[in-house]
Amino acid sequence: MSEFKILAISGSLRADSHNTALLRAARKHQPGGLDIEIYDGLREIPPYDQDLDNPQDRPAAVAELRRRIDEADGLLIATPEFNYSIPGTLKNAIDWVSTDWTKQEGLPLLRKPVAILGAAPTNFGTVRAQLALRQVFVWTDSDVVVKPEVQVFRSHERFDEDGNLTDETTISLVRDLLGALKAKAEAASAR
């Protein structure tokens, strides 16, 4: 197989988000064999509504996200932490793509390889969000990379003024995480 298609999602909507910058750094420093596409439609996903959660009634932005996850060989999610947990916009998007009430479409996240990382300006800020996100992916039966854990603490010290990741230790951890994600994608393609 040529390259594995990875859909990267930032849980932050901020224009200058270090989590989004972390995804750009992942694309730049990836170990090879990955085509990382950064998803930018999180803002367009409406609040979850089970009455609309079927193929005929789903909002277009939700249908598009489901399609892109289906087509991806894996997911890379960078999450900040809000109130000791996952940002609401990110959890909402996951809720939309974790269901198949009709039993006809399949579950986009089922056995999907997923890697999680995050950046925060504090010393502890993405840890609990990543833990909560891992719990969500237990329910969806996704194939989550467990090591290495990538928590970019004091992120403002690790990016330059243009949003480029400059910390070599963090770059190495991101490469290792992507290598583990690639291994899971390879294993999934062999099934």
Side-chain angles (χ1 to χ4, degrees), residues 84-152:
Y84 281 18
S85 193
I86 309 162
T89 52
L90 179 59
K91 176 63 167 63
N92 179 63
I94 292 169
D95 290 345
W96 274 112
V97 299
S98 66
T99 60
D100 177 14
W101 303 112
T102 65
K103 306 289 187 222
Q104 297 171 354
E105 301 174 279
L107 299 164
L109 295 172
L110 181 65
R111 303 306 304 146
K112 182 70 66 176
V114 177
I116 302 167
L117 69 168
T122 63
N123 287 328
F124 201 67
T126 180
V127 175
R128 290 171 290 241
Q130 288 190 38
L131 179 60
L133 197 50
R134 289 174 194 280
Q135 290 174 322
V136 169
F137 287 128
V138 168
W139 173 254
T140 62
D141 199 13
S142 302
D143 191 10
V144 178
V145 172
V146 293
K147 288 185 181 177
E149 293 183 12
V150 180
Q151 295 129 2
V152 184

Side-chain angles (χ1 to χ4, degrees), residues 13 39-47 59-62 92 96:
L13 301 180
Y39 174 73
D40 63 0
L42 195 61
R43 181 177 271 110
E44 312 313 316
I45 304 291
V62 172
N92 179 63
W96 274 112

Side-chain angles (χ1 to χ4, degrees), residues 10-21:
S10 174
S12 176
L13 301 180
R14 282 188 336 100
D16 294 330
S17 164
H18 284 156
N19 284 282
T20 304

Side-chain angles (χ1 to χ4, degrees), residues 37-66:
E37 178 185 359
I38 299 175
Y39 174 73
D40 63 0
L42 195 61
R43 181 177 271 110
E44 312 313 316
I45 304 291
Y48 180 76
D49 182 343
Q50 190 173 351
D51 289 338
L52 300 177
D53 192 6
N54 62 71
Q56 297 77 33
D57 298 321
R58 268 190 207 111
V62 172
E64 174 70 5
L65 177 59
R66 286 179 70 100

Side-chain angles (χ1 to χ4, degrees), residues 9 16 19 59 72 74 78 84 93 106 129 132 144 153 164-165 174 177 190:
I9 301 172
D16 294 330
N19 284 282
Y84 281 18
V144 178
F153 62 93
N164 298 305
L165 183 60
V174 169
L177 180 72

